[in-house]
């Protein structure tokens, strides 16, 4: 392990991207090398090539293991990062994104005063949860959960969650906690439909192989947190939204209907379309019948 081998140069940037990167990481397409880039980048490398990702703007550090234990190692070794930056984005390394999208996400996080948010996914992405795919009618949706693929956390939220990162390779279960840390959590987490990124590889393929070597599984990590904090299934609900004309939607069922209509109209664009009708029906049922719970969760020491 070598997570403290690179100190970021002094900048005036308020935002940081940390990517846990393998040899095929796509982060060089994110625009951090542009002299006008408004965020800093740290590449936390889990590969074995001593020459990989040594460009000055990449700020490489090394750590074997999973995504979240690697992020814990970095932020524990360099806790000043949590004071230096206002928002920290933690994307997977197989996301196609550009500088404009990433910067716009940080800008909108600040504008809306969010604690945590994420970009949406393009319809041709590999995905785990249908409601995080881009819904073209909306600018953004307020949601009760944020997935682990590309969360953007306010630094104080990252600091509160950091102890839980230590024993988590997969991050499963973290996504049901970090939207519920404050006394009032309504309106503090959102998915940005107008800011989509593309997930290019099947979900969890590399992670599952890595975890099996340690005798762990993502689902075991989820069950452990679920037993500690008493939550159930992961299914994101969109409870408010702002559409492309600036109108605010406050009816959860109507948001669900609009999402289903958009996805049906664009169903030919889906990469994973084999179970689409089943997933759309499930989304609609949840939007109609499931209540939003954003009550505060107190993390255990």
């Amino acid at each position: 392990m070598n997570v403290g081998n690179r100190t970021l140069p002094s900048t005036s940037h308020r935002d940081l991207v940390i990517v846990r990167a393998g040899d095929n990481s796509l982060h060089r397409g994110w625009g951090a090398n542009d002299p006008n880039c408004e965020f800093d980048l740290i590449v936390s490398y889990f590969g074995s090539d001593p020459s990989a990702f040594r460009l000055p703007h990449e700020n490489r550090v090394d750590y074997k293991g999973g995504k979240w234990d690697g992020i814990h190692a970095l932020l524990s070794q360099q806790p000043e990062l949590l004071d230096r930056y206002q928002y920290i984005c933690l994307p997977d390394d197989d996301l196609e994104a550009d500088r404009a999208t990433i910067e716009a996400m940080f800008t909108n996080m600040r504008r809306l005063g969010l604690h945590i948010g994420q970009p949406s996914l393009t319809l041709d992405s590999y995905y785990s949860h249908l409601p995080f795919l881009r819904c073209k009618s909306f600018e953004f949706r307020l949601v009760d959960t944020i997935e682990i693929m590309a969360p953007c956390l306010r630094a104080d939220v990252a600091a509160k969650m950091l102890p839980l990162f230590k024993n988590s390779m997969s991050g499963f279960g973290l996504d049901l906690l970090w939207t519920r840390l404050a006394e009032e959590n309504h309106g503090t987490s959102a998915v940005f439909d107008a800011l989509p990124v593309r997930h290019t590889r099947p979900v969890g393929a590399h992670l599952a192989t890595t975890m099996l070597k340690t005798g762990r599984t993502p689902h075991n990590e989820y069950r452990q947190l679920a037993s500690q904090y008493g939550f159930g299934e992961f299914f994101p609900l969109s409870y408010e939204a702002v559409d492309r004309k600036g109108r605010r939607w406050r009816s959860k069922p109507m948001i669900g209907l609009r999402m289903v209509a958009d996805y049906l109209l664009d169903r030919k664009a889906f990469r994973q379309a084999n179970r689409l009708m089943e997933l759309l029906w499930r989304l609609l049922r949840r939007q109609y019948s499931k209540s939003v719970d954003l009550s505060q969760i107190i993390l255990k020491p």
Side-chain angles (χ1 to χ4, degrees):
M1 177 179 69
N2 185 7
V3 296
N5 57 349
R6 186 67 186 265
T7 301
L8 281 174
S10 178
T11 72
S12 60
H13 297 154
R14 295 184 289 173
D15 305 314
L16 174 65
V17 173
I18 301 173
V19 58
R20 289 283 289 143
D23 292 324
N24 297 314
S25 176
L26 301 181
H27 69 269
R28 285 187 170 174
W30 299 349
N33 61 320
D34 191 307
N36 296 314
C37 182
E38 296 178 356
F39 59 86
D40 291 329
L41 173 69
I42 295 178
V43 176
S44 175
Y45 179 58
F46 56 78
S48 302
D49 183 350
S51 64
F53 309 134
R54 294 294 187 184
L55 296 178
H57 72 276
E58 291 177 305
N59 301 298
R60 170 178 151 172
V61 297
D62 295 339
Y63 184 85
K64 300 289 186 182
K67 176 174 179 176
W68 298 96
D69 52 332
I71 291 168
H72 176 271
L74 170 63
L75 294 178
S76 296
Q77 288 285 328
Q78 299 188 44
E80 68 276 7
L81 296 174
L82 294 167
D83 296 321
R84 179 171 171 179
Y85 294 99
Q86 183 179 7
Y87 285 103
I88 300 175
C89 185
L90 306 170
D92 287 356
D93 72 343
D94 54 357
L95 293 174
E96 283 184 355
D98 58 32
R99 176 189 150 211
T101 297
I102 296 170
E103 290 178 348
M105 180 183 63
F106 284 127
T107 297
N108 281 283
M109 293 288 295
R110 254 185 293 280
R111 178 176 67 87
L112 297 171
L114 298 180
H115 298 177
I116 184 169
Q118 68 168 87
S120 58
L121 296 178
T122 60
L123 300 185
D124 61 344
S125 292
Y126 290 100
Y127 67 92
S128 296
H129 307 289
L130 181 68
F132 292 127
L133 295 184
R134 176 179 180 256
C135 185
K136 65 183 180 183
S137 291
F138 297 119
E139 286 286 334
F140 66 88
R141 285 170 283 131
L142 297 179
V143 291
D144 62 344
T145 55
I146 293 293
E147 68 177 337
I148 55 178
M149 188 178 294
C152 182
L153 289 75
R154 204 171 65 184
D156 62 312
V157 175
K160 289 178 183 177
M161 291 294 299
L162 189 59
L164 291 179
F165 293 174
K166 181 177 182 179
N167 296 313
S168 179
M169 294 182 72
S170 69
F172 277 39
L174 301 178
D175 34 24
L176 282 160
L177 296 174
W178 50 30
T179 55
R180 297 176 57 184
L181 300 184
E183 290 185 16
E184 175 53 60
N185 297 297
H186 186 93
T188 62
S189 49
V191 55
F192 295 105
D193 291 295
L195 300 173
V197 299
R198 181 171 175 265
H199 190 225
T200 63
R201 296 198 288 266
V203 175
H206 172 80
L207 175 67
T209 302
T210 302
M211 291 190 71
L212 279 176
K213 295 176 183 176
T214 68
R216 300 158 70 178
T217 70
H219 294 290
N220 284 343
E221 291 190 344
Y222 182 91
R223 283 194 291 269
Q224 183 178 1
L225 286 177
S227 66
Q228 281 184 279
Y229 294 100
F231 52 73
E233 69 165 348
F234 182 96
F235 193 91
L237 295 175
S238 303
Y239 60 89
E240 286 190 29
V242 171
D243 66 22
R244 303 303 289 265
K245 296 182 179 179
R247 298 173 298 195
R248 185 169 288 271
W249 295 46
R250 292 186 171 88
S251 167
K252 191 157 54 69
M254 292 304 295
I255 293 170
L257 281 170
R258 184 69 262 173
M259 292 171 68
V260 169
D262 279 359
Y263 293 150
L264 280 173
L265 286 171
D266 290 331
R267 60 189 178 276
K268 291 183 179 180
F270 277 73
R271 177 187 291 272
Q272 294 174 234
N274 56 321
R275 294 176 54 232
L276 182 58
M277 297 308 295
E278 174 190 342
L279 293 173
L280 289 174
W281 177 237
R282 186 182 182 209
L283 184 157
L284 200 56
R285 289 202 318 269
R286 295 297 196 278
Q287 286 287 129
Y288 266 83
S289 63
K290 190 177 178 184
S291 59
V292 173
D293 184 4
L294 286 169
S295 58
Q296 185 178 23
I297 289 178
I298 305 297
L299 298 181
K300 299 176 182 179

